[in-house]
Amino acid sequence: MPTDQYEHGDPRTRYPDVQPEPQTQDEPGLQSAMDPVPDLGETSYRGTGRLAGRKALITGGDSGIGGAVAIAFAREGADVAIAYLPEEQSDADHVLEQIRATGRTAVAIPGDLRDKAYAQVLVDQAVAGLGGLDALVSVAGKQRWQPDVLDITDDQFEATFDVNVFGLFRLVKAALPHLQPGATITTTASMEAYKPAPDRLDYAASKGAINNLSKGLSQLLVERGIRVNVVAPGPTWTVLQPSGGVDPSTLPEFGSSESPMGRAGQPAELAPAYVFLASDESSYVVGETLNVNGGMVTP
Ligand code: NAD
Ligand code: MG
């Protein structure tokens, strides 16, 4: 593991190939119960003021990629509100503690993105707790492994799109009245948006929709001085996988068989992409999808 994200070295061996034992949890799962526990950059992420004074709302900020983004944003000088499901409170507490340790404001707003009223509540509480909002980062996502197309029920298909696409759209609409020129919206697609795995059709389709929706939105919102961009992760070791996201028997090869890098990524390796897209360093980057996937070629 690197001492910080700037340590130079061979990317293939920067993190160990996790090769997790088969393991399962109920959705959405607790990261703290995983073996091994993913690296959110707790000991390694070094901030240099790249987001000084920013006010960020991060969905799915309790664990995995969103948790790593929340820690990175706080260490870069942002005040951070995280959203997550109520049953994930213990994972959220870990991230909130990391944010508070930086001296930045941490706001916790549990709730279910499927609840139509929650998006407005979430934004209102974030704005109240942070004293404004200028970075919306949508990382929350639902993924259900289902090998037989006939077993994908209407309920599952709807739930996946409800969290991943409709929930995102409701959130963007609720946030928009608060976003001034200079604000950013960063969404989370996936490698699956381009190369759908046949055992997660609804998830992959929802990720394609996020990518497309974000690019369309970026065209509209740049006229208001708001930049919209996307991060598309490849296989990353998070609780999304052992909580029903993939076939548990495939976990020992998770990432290593798919990615040319020969290993899964860690959430800590995703965070810098989100920092870049929210920071003014990326002032001329709009409607872009930044792929962080260990070398899986995308269109
Ligand atoms: P994760 O389980 O740690 O994070 C997903 C989060 O989504 C959960 O912590 C939860 O807070 C939130 N969530 C799920 N359903 C919700 C609901 N109904 N209401 C509110 N919040 C809800 O896993 P992760 O891998 O860090 O996932 C983060 C994002 O990255 C997701 O959008 C996922 O699709 C995407 N992604 C992950 C991978 C990967 O390999 N891990 C690959 C590509 C894309
Ligand atoms: Mg979680």
Side-chain angles (χ1 to χ4, degrees), residues 208-283:
I210 292 172
N211 204 32
N212 184 293
L213 178 66
S214 303
K215 285 173 191 286
L217 262 176
S218 75
Q219 306 301 295
L220 266 181
L221 299 190
V222 72
E223 293 170 9
R224 299 178 181 219
I226 299 167
R227 293 184 300 110
V228 182
N229 288 289
V230 189
V231 176
T236 311
W237 179 234
T238 70
V239 73
L240 198 68
Q241 318 305 338
S243 64
V246 298
D247 176 352
S249 71
T250 63
L251 284 178
E253 298 92 52
F254 179 68
S256 50
S257 57
E258 283 170 279
S259 170
M261 187 74 76
R263 64 170 177 85
Q266 289 289 337
E269 295 182 281
L270 269 295
Y274 290 86
V275 170
F276 171 67
L277 293 173
S279 128
D280 291 277
E281 294 163 291
S282 60
S283 55

Side-chain angles (χ1 to χ4, degrees), residues 1-281:
M1 194 189 294
T3 48
D4 67 35
Q5 74 271 30
Y6 299 111
E7 185 182 310
H8 184 59
D10 186 338
R12 297 169 301 176
T13 51
R14 191 174 184 81
Y15 285 92
D17 182 10
V18 283
Q19 300 182 329
E21 290 297 317
Q23 51 195 283
T24 52
Q25 293 190 42
D26 289 341
E27 216 182 333
L30 283 180
Q31 171 177 286
S32 59
M34 292 171 74
D35 180 24
V37 173
D39 180 22
L40 305 191
E42 291 94 332
T43 62
S44 60
Y45 193 90
R46 180 159 65 88
T48 55
R50 294 166 70 190
L51 300 174
R54 297 288 294 277
K55 298 168 188 310
L57 168 58
I58 303 167
T59 67
D62 62 296
S63 60
I65 297 166
V69 171
I71 293 170
F73 271 45
R75 292 188 187 176
E76 295 291 359
D79 292 324
V80 177
I82 61 169
Y84 50 90
L85 286 163
E87 56 266 41
E88 300 176 298
Q89 188 61 49
S90 62
D91 274 352
D93 287 339
H94 167 68
V95 172
L96 292 163
E97 201 177 290
Q98 293 283 325
I99 299 169
R100 290 190 183 115
T102 68
R104 307 307 312 181
T105 300
V107 182
I109 315 171
D112 188 336
L113 285 164
R114 295 197 66 190
D115 171 0
K116 287 195 171 57
Y118 174 61
Q120 192 61 57
V121 171
L122 177 54
V123 167
D124 289 348
Q125 289 189 13
V127 168
L130 300 171
L133 182 66
D134 60 20
L136 176 64
V137 187
S138 171
V139 190
K142 178 177 168 59
Q143 174 179 330
R144 199 82 226 140
W145 164 68
Q146 201 61 269
D148 189 334
V149 63
L150 297 179
D151 290 333
I152 302 178
T153 60
D154 272 8
D155 279 353
Q156 177 184 321
F157 210 106
E158 278 175 26
T160 301
F161 268 74
D162 207 5
V163 176
N164 296 1
V165 184
F166 299 153
L168 165 63
F169 189 58
R170 286 193 284 265
L171 193 58
V172 168
K173 286 207 293 186
L176 213 43
H178 300 279
L179 301 180
Q180 304 299 319
T184 55
I185 298 175
T186 310
T187 64
T188 304
S190 170
M191 181 67 206
E192 304 284 331
Y194 307 105
K195 191 171 177 287
D199 64 359
R200 58 203 89 142
L201 291 180
D202 49 333
Y203 172 79
S206 77
K207 290 294 168 175
I210 292 172
N211 204 32
N212 184 293
L213 178 66
S214 303
K215 285 173 191 286
L217 262 176
S218 75
Q219 306 301 295
L220 266 181
L221 299 190
V222 72
E223 293 170 9
R224 299 178 181 219
I226 299 167
R227 293 184 300 110
V228 182
N229 288 289
V230 189
V231 176
T236 311
W237 179 234
T238 70
V239 73
L240 198 68
Q241 318 305 338
S243 64
V246 298
D247 176 352
S249 71
T250 63
L251 284 178
E253 298 92 52
F254 179 68
S256 50
S257 57
E258 283 170 279
S259 170
M261 187 74 76
R263 64 170 177 85
Q266 289 289 337
E269 295 182 281
L270 269 295
Y274 290 86
V275 170
F276 171 67
L277 293 173
S279 128
D280 291 277
E281 294 163 291

